[in-house]
Amino acid sequence: MKQLLILSFLLAQSLCVFSQKYITQSGTISFFSEAPIENIESTNNQVSSVINLENGQLVFSLLMKAFVFEKALMQEHFNEKYVESEIYPKAIFKGQIQDFDNMELSTTPLDVTVIGTLTIHGESHEITNVGQMYFDENNRIRVNSKIEVALDQYKIKIPSSVQENISNTIAITIQMEYEKLD
Amino acid sequence: MKNWIKRGIAVHIFIILSTAVQGQDDLLELLNAQEEPETSFTIATFKSTRLVSGHSVETNKKGDLQFLIGHRFGRINSGWRELYGIDNATIRFGFEYGLTDNLNIGIGRSSFQKTYDGNIKWRFLRQKYGAEEFPLTATWVSTMYVLANEFPNTERENYFNQRLSFNHTLLLARKFGKLFSLQLMPTVMHRNLVATEQDENTVFAMGAGTSIRLTGSVRFNVEYHYIFPNQIASPVGGEDVTNALSLGVDLETGGHVFQLHITNSRGMTEKYLVGETTGVWGDGDIHFGFNVSRVFTTKKHKKIP
């Protein structure tokens, strides 16, 4: 009994100590909004994220002000009027890869589903992402995904004067490259 | 012995549970620990490079070309025959360009006294927060004016430098939260030609202004210039010189900012605001006016592949 207890205790400890975490601070997330007058696109290539390969949990964190637009004025309006990044500087996603225990991650791209909570502009909603995940030749984990976000759900208001220029649904592209955390 | 086992199991379960439940928060903490402390500049202290008629601390970004067009109508107390001043408009149009995010140059031309103006504007300190903090934004603006109208006295010998005036203003602004911005504008105005010996060539004034955010696209602004006493003796156009007070609303629609205002000054540059304003609010000497500003992007940020 005692030996069993010690053994399982060690097992639990080993889960904590020998971590299987993969991390990046230079992931890329871009978004695109198609509108009759002017398409709006922007990229953030300073996205932080970490995946825990023991349980399939992953977390994303990014600074809204790190989104770069072609037009400087657009960038200022994005930060000041729409996402209000002085008040809500970060967007965060906490998710769980579904059916992770039965998954064999390899160099072949694997379709995965992630369910989690996305927080933008101080508003949190559960979303489901579908994407691909695989090891590349340098033993890094690659994750690619596309999601759509409805601005009104996150209380990002579009003034009626520019409603023609900005669509409510924004297509978001996610490209990540994780390195093993020692 | 039994107690020892029970306690062991409890600790064990606790560890397993806590790793499972707090897993995502631990991951987030791990990310936060990796981050370097950030410094952010305060943005959009004002909506435009002009508060009402005078400059704000804002500058055009590098490569941005701003086209400004302003109208000031006649006095609303001029009566129905003049359609309350609408018949009698003065106009200024100008261009301003961002050499860098902090250094702008501009030119303009006012119909009143056929004045050309050129300015240089340098934002040399910026309000910031986060890892590094600084409480205010400071911008220096110097403007030169050339009057191209007929000399007032053609009997005597006139020189070109009599046409020149110069203005130097230090703009100090702070944004409090996201709703409220305040600006102070200590100003020195030099006129090469004044009416009499009792008029100072160099006039000192203190301006103050505020901007209040009503919505993301709409703001309410106030601008006031106080001229220190005993500097201006002669009337302008038969009326005593007064301090300029203007109230305005900004409407921003993407690339355009529309500024609508009521003011006792017809000036669209400091030369008129400070030293040539003669309207009296209490008497109804109020002008309706507007500025329209459009920004053209000539240099785009490089796309991140």
Side-chain angles (χ1 to χ4, degrees), chain B residues 188-199:
Chain B
V188 182
M189 183 72 227
H190 181 86
R191 298 90 52 89
N192 274 1
L193 180 66
V194 289
T196 67
E197 276 184 18
Q198 283 72 48
D199 292 289

Side-chain angles (χ1 to χ4, degrees), chain A residues 1-15, chain B residues 12:
Chain A
M1 182 64 192
K2 197 176 161 186
Q3 280 158 333
L4 191 70
L5 192 72
I6 290 169
L7 187 69
S8 67
F9 191 81
L10 281 174
L11 256 172
Q13 287 294 320
S14 70
L15 277 177
Chain B
H12 187 175

Side-chain angles (χ1 to χ4, degrees), chain B residues 63-76:
Chain B
D64 278 3
L65 179 70
Q66 182 189 25
F67 176 55
L68 273 160
I69 185 155
H71 276 68
R72 299 292 179 274
F73 296 98
R75 290 177 176 172
I76 57 170

Side-chain angles (χ1 to χ4, degrees), chain B residues 114-233:
Chain B
K114 317 217 176 292
T115 308
Y116 295 86
D117 63 75
N119 69 63
I120 184 157
K121 188 171 181 180
W122 177 37
R123 182 172 62 179
F124 58 96
L125 288 171
R126 288 188 75 180
Q127 187 179 344
K128 55 189 174 182
Y129 58 94
E132 282 178 58
E133 295 195 356
F134 195 75
L136 51 83
T137 301
T139 301
W140 181 270
V141 56
S142 287
T143 310
M144 183 172 124
Y145 307 90
V146 184
L147 271 59
N149 58 354
E150 299 269 337
F151 280 110
N153 183 348
T154 49
E155 306 279 293
R156 67 178 180 197
E157 196 172 347
N158 288 300
Y159 301 98
F160 175 75
N161 65 13
Q162 290 171 355
R163 298 187 174 280
L164 304 183
S165 297
F166 303 89
N167 178 78
H168 306 285
T169 302
L170 175 64
L171 306 158
L172 302 167
R174 176 169 168 81
K175 190 178 187 183
F176 299 87
K178 68 164 186 176
L179 295 178
F180 175 64
S181 303
L182 201 63
Q183 180 172 277
L184 288 177
M185 304 89 92
T187 293
V188 182
M189 183 72 227
H190 181 86
R191 298 90 52 89
N192 274 1
L193 180 66
V194 289
T196 67
E197 276 184 18
Q198 283 72 48
D199 292 289
E200 298 287 346
N201 284 95
T202 304
V203 172
F204 295 91
M206 175 58 95
T210 182
S211 178
I212 296 158
R213 176 176 154 144
L214 304 177
T215 74
S217 309
V218 182
R219 294 198 195 192
F220 173 71
N221 303 322
V222 181
E223 182 185 78
Y224 180 68
H225 283 89
Y226 174 76
I227 303 169
F228 294 105
N230 304 322
Q231 300 187 96
I232 296 170

